Amino acid sequence: MHYEGVLRKMLTEHANPVQYLLNFKDDLLIMNQLIGRKIKIQFDGYECLNCHKNKKIFRQGFCYDCFQSSPKVGEWIMKPELSKAHLDEEDRDLDYEKKVQLQPHIIYIANSSNPKVGVTRSSQVPTRWIDQGAHEAVIIAEVPNRYLAGIGEVALKEHLSDKTKWRQMLQNKRDEVDMIEVAKEMIQYLPDEVKEHVNKEPALWQIEFPVNSYPDKIKSLNLEKNPVFEGVLNGVKGQYLIFEDDTVFNIRNSEGYVTTWDVSIKKST
Ligand SMILES: [Zn+2]
């Protein structure tokens, strides 16, 4: 079976296990069905997700020029505490920023390797955690805008990591902790204007990933350097494909790459 398309992060559905979909213009690949099959992936060039030109991807699927100018990748995306739409102040496009920033956001902890703090729009639950490869997550607070989530996160970062150890995540190695206890403990460190939005009865979210076996040593596939790769898919976790030979492929870091996929019909394992 032959497919072609521009890589974007996989769509997900919170089933048991998570269902992963790769969305190409003319095809929708159900990644769970590709597990156990040999896949050949070829890199054919770039297509910026914003201007659609064949320009080298700089970051987040965008070419350099788009990354510098598009409101979709302003600095407040990565640093929510810099959000200013609630003050009516523009970064790159106030209408867009109001639409995205002035909606409910959550402050959460998630465990993909170790408990970490993060923020996201409420509409991104549980997508964000699936994308991180987190097995467990707890919502600490739900606030009305991105700025409040950001300052809550900044305060909690003093006490908890905000980074995922992606190698450990892919090897399925993680600290076993009581996430609800950690969430409750964090509340005291929140700024007062965030504390009033605390989740009084935090629930534990649990996520199962479709992985047959986890890699020992990890080899990271970079399609720019190795434009053709062939391997048997062993599973999907976070936004990574995991192959039988311990190669992992981060789809999210490869957004905007034009690719060709050949999938063998017969299962290898
Ligand atoms: Zn562009």
Side-chain angles (χ1 to χ4, degrees), residues 48-53 55 61-67:
C48 168
L49 297 185
N50 194 57
C51 67
H52 302 286
K53 290 180 187 155
K55 290 167 75 179
F62 282 32
C63 71
Y64 182 81
D65 291 335
C66 288
F67 192 81

Side-chain angles (χ1 to χ4, degrees), residues 121-235:
R121 279 171 283 156
S122 301
S123 61
Q124 289 299 103
V125 170
T127 307
R128 170 60 65 92
W129 306 323
I130 294 171
D131 288 348
Q132 290 170 346
H135 285 256
E136 293 185 329
V138 178
I139 296 171
I140 295 180
E142 182 168 23
V143 294
N145 65 52
R146 190 167 185 86
Y147 169 75
L148 285 174
I151 60 169
E153 181 186 36
V154 168
L156 298 192
K157 276 199 274 196
E158 300 282 317
H159 306 276
L160 211 57
S161 165
D162 65 332
K163 301 272 187 298
T164 296
K165 295 174 187 159
W166 65 273
R167 286 175 179 276
Q168 290 185 26
M169 180 276 284
L170 287 170
Q171 291 173 323
N172 208 30
K173 292 177 184 164
R174 60 184 178 274
D175 304 339
E176 295 297 340
V177 291
D178 185 330
M179 293 291 282
I180 293 201
E181 282 307 308
V182 177
K184 286 180 178 165
E185 196 191 316
M186 288 299 124
I187 291 170
Q188 60 186 309
Y189 304 121
L190 289 170
D192 285 340
E193 62 260 63
V194 177
K195 254 185 203 158
E196 59 188 277
H197 301 285
V198 155
N199 189 358
K200 298 229 166 48
E201 285 179 40
L204 183 67
W205 285 74
Q206 291 182 301
I207 300 166
E208 296 290 331
F209 296 92
V211 182
N212 283 345
S213 67
Y214 291 95
D216 295 325
K217 287 184 180 168
I218 288 177
K219 294 178 281 184
S220 208
L221 172 61
N222 179 338
L223 278 184
E224 282 179 310
K225 289 183 185 142
N226 298 295
V228 182
F229 171 80
E230 194 168 58
V232 175
L233 187 65
N234 240 352

Side-chain angles (χ1 to χ4, degrees), residues 83-101:
S83 299
K84 294 214 166 106
H86 64 291
L87 303 172
D88 230 20
E89 280 183 32
E90 179 172 84
D91 178 33
R92 293 179 177 180
D93 176 346
L94 188 55
D95 281 345
Y96 177 83
E97 286 144 15
K98 278 187 172 172
K99 205 172 79 191
V100 179
Q101 294 178 18

